[in-house]
Amino acid sequence: MFVISVIVAVVLGGFGWGLTEYLLHRFAGHGPNRRREGLWYLSPKVVLVLFNEEHIAHHRDPTYFAPTWKKAIATALLLPVIGGLATLLVGWALGLAFGAGFAVTYLAYEVLHRRIHTHAPVNAYFAWMRRHHLHHHVSPKVNHGVTSPVWDLAFATHVVADPVALNHKIAPPWLLDETGALRPEFAREYKLVGRA
């Protein structure tokens, strides 16, 4: 029974990251602009401010990703809080399992998000994930879950675009041939708009 509880805690940790990602992305990444004023660096909002700035930079240039050291600092600040709260609620073993599920899912998200922008899809899930997320880059008020539609469906922010209309300047390199035109294998799922 204990092993099943640990497995459930790991899975719930993964769902916990998914919800955290959705909420951060939707409200810190695309919510009201947060300006640095006063003693912002002493405020608990500092992570949200920095996330918002990095997120806006990524939307301006989808090949830009926040530096690893910034993500490491954010993770070092967030994981102990998440793990600590889970431990207080369900004990150290299940709290640790929850924290591990949260952390592993976060790391998977980081890898998958980067690959959306840098590598062509290799199966149906990866093809769906790219369409879902790249549509978000076109319509930033929808599709906040990068790797899963669960929370977008739950909060009615899921939109299917078929095809996804991408401006040339935000089209990932894997989508284009050597002349800058859309690769034929992606013509049903994407269309390019604007000037090359």
Side-chain angles (χ1 to χ4, degrees):
M1 189 65 167
F2 178 72
V3 172
I4 292 172
S5 297
V6 169
I7 292 169
V8 168
V10 169
V11 170
L12 289 175
F15 276 104
W17 163 252
L19 179 59
T20 301
E21 175 214 339
Y22 176 88
L23 294 173
L24 272 173
H25 194 178
R26 181 173 179 188
F27 296 108
H30 295 286
N33 289 334
R34 286 158 174 80
R35 295 174 307 178
R36 292 182 179 191
E37 48 188 44
L39 298 177
W40 69 270
Y41 53 88
L42 296 177
S43 166
K45 292 182 182 179
V46 68
V47 172
L48 299 178
V49 169
L50 295 175
F51 175 85
N52 182 263
E53 290 174 1
E54 292 295 334
H55 188 70
I56 289 169
H58 174 65
H59 266 267
R60 273 195 301 264
D61 175 9
T63 63
Y64 171 81
F65 293 91
T68 303
W69 68 267
K70 286 185 178 181
K71 293 175 183 178
I73 289 172
T75 303
L77 294 172
L78 184 61
L79 274 181
V81 172
I82 298 295
L85 288 173
T87 299
L88 286 173
L89 293 173
V90 294
W92 72 269
L94 296 181
L96 186 61
F98 181 90
F102 190 95
V104 167
T105 307
Y106 166 69
L107 291 173
Y109 154 82
E110 285 293 344
V111 170
L112 293 172
H113 181 219
R114 184 175 292 267
R115 289 188 68 85
I116 286 171
H117 294 283
T118 60
H119 292 76
V122 294
N123 61 35
Y125 167 70
F126 289 119
W128 167 85
M129 186 174 54
R130 281 157 179 75
R131 285 190 311 274
H132 179 78
H133 181 62
L134 292 174
H135 180 63
H136 168 77
H137 275 268
V138 175
S139 300
K141 296 295 182 191
V142 299
N143 295 0
H144 300 284
V146 174
T147 59
S148 168
V150 169
W151 300 109
D152 283 302
L153 290 167
F155 294 110
T157 55
H158 180 257
V159 172
V160 176
D162 196 21
V164 177
L166 290 173
N167 189 298
H168 275 83
K169 69 181 183 178
I170 67 166
W174 56 263
L175 195 61
L176 309 174
D177 66 16
E178 55 281 346
T179 68
L182 183 66
R183 290 184 182 275
E185 63 265 35
F186 300 116
R188 284 190 352 198
E189 300 166 323
Y190 298 93
K191 68 178 179 179
L192 294 175
V193 296
R195 285 188 243 183

